[in-house]
Amino acid sequence: MSVLQRFAQLPAHEQIVYKLTIKLTAVAFALGVIWVLLGLSDQSPTADNPWQASVLPQGEDAIGLYVAVAEKPRWFSEAGIQQTKPIEDPAKALEGKPESMRLTGLVTKGNTRYALFVPVILSAGAGKPAVSQLAVGDKLVGDWEITAISANQVDIRQGEETRTLKMYQPKK
């Protein structure tokens, strides 16, 4: 059975709906083609396209530009260009001071108490910090001597000056 024979067997109201749908689709297609041919579409014509080919500048001296930027001071003030101070090595500032060592533990072995210290700033190339186990009378750093070790603090002395290093520092 052909398509026309099957269509003829449909009820009259369905035939009307299908014929009307086909006619409306054909009219919509024809209007769309006319719309595009008249230039009423939303796309701009190719002649109005503002596209331009990319133009790369001539090769510049990259190293020269880097040196020029790297040598210029980056911070300005109203008074003019300020010179920056050389950065001090933090290890030199702490050298010989008790702040160069951090109290990390207090242990008791037999009747003797020990304080465990690690350096605050690691030396270059060092993996894990070396733990120093010190008892009363041992030297911490420089001339700082451990005078007492209690359950949560260590007392140290250098000459007439004394300090207390606490195991747990309160948050400020």
Side-chain angles (χ1 to χ4, degrees):
M1 223 196 255
S2 72
V3 175
L4 292 177
Q5 290 173 345
R6 286 186 183 176
F7 186 74
Q9 292 177 351
L10 291 175
H13 66 279
E14 286 184 17
Q15 289 180 9
I16 293 171
V17 169
Y18 284 123
K19 287 179 184 178
L20 187 59
T21 302
I22 291 171
K23 287 179 184 177
L24 286 176
T25 304
V27 169
F29 179 76
L31 285 176
V33 169
I34 292 170
W35 185 270
V36 171
L37 291 176
L38 290 177
L40 301 173
S41 67
D42 60 344
Q43 297 177 357
S44 62
T46 58
D48 295 340
N49 192 346
W51 179 86
Q52 296 177 357
S54 299
V55 178
L56 296 175
Q58 293 295 327
E60 297 181 17
D61 179 23
I63 293 177
L65 291 173
Y66 172 77
V67 169
V69 169
E71 289 179 356
K72 284 185 181 179
R74 291 173 189 79
W75 309 107
F76 299 97
S77 68
E78 293 178 10
I81 299 173
Q82 295 183 359
Q83 298 296 327
T84 58
K85 292 187 242 178
I87 299 174
E88 294 180 17
D89 184 17
K92 290 204 183 240
L94 291 176
E95 199 171 289
K97 295 182 180 178
E99 292 84 11
S100 66
M101 300 293 279
R102 180 182 316 132
L103 177 61
T104 59
L106 299 166
V107 295
T108 304
K109 193 186 256 184
N111 292 334
T112 309
R113 284 189 180 231
Y114 294 98
L116 305 176
F117 289 92
V118 294
V120 172
I121 298 176
L122 298 176
S123 60
K128 291 185 177 181
V131 178
S132 300
Q133 179 177 323
L134 305 172
V136 175
D138 291 342
K139 298 280 185 184
L140 177 63
V141 173
D143 291 333
W144 290 93
E145 182 181 337
I146 297 177
T147 57
I149 299 175
S150 63
N152 65 346
Q153 67 186 28
V154 174
D155 296 328
I156 57 174
R157 181 182 69 218
Q158 178 185 21
E160 297 297 319
E161 185 180 0
T162 60
R163 291 191 190 175
T164 301
L165 304 174
K166 294 189 178 190
M167 181 66 191
Y168 301 104
Q169 297 292 332
K171 291 184 179 180
K172 295 180 181 183

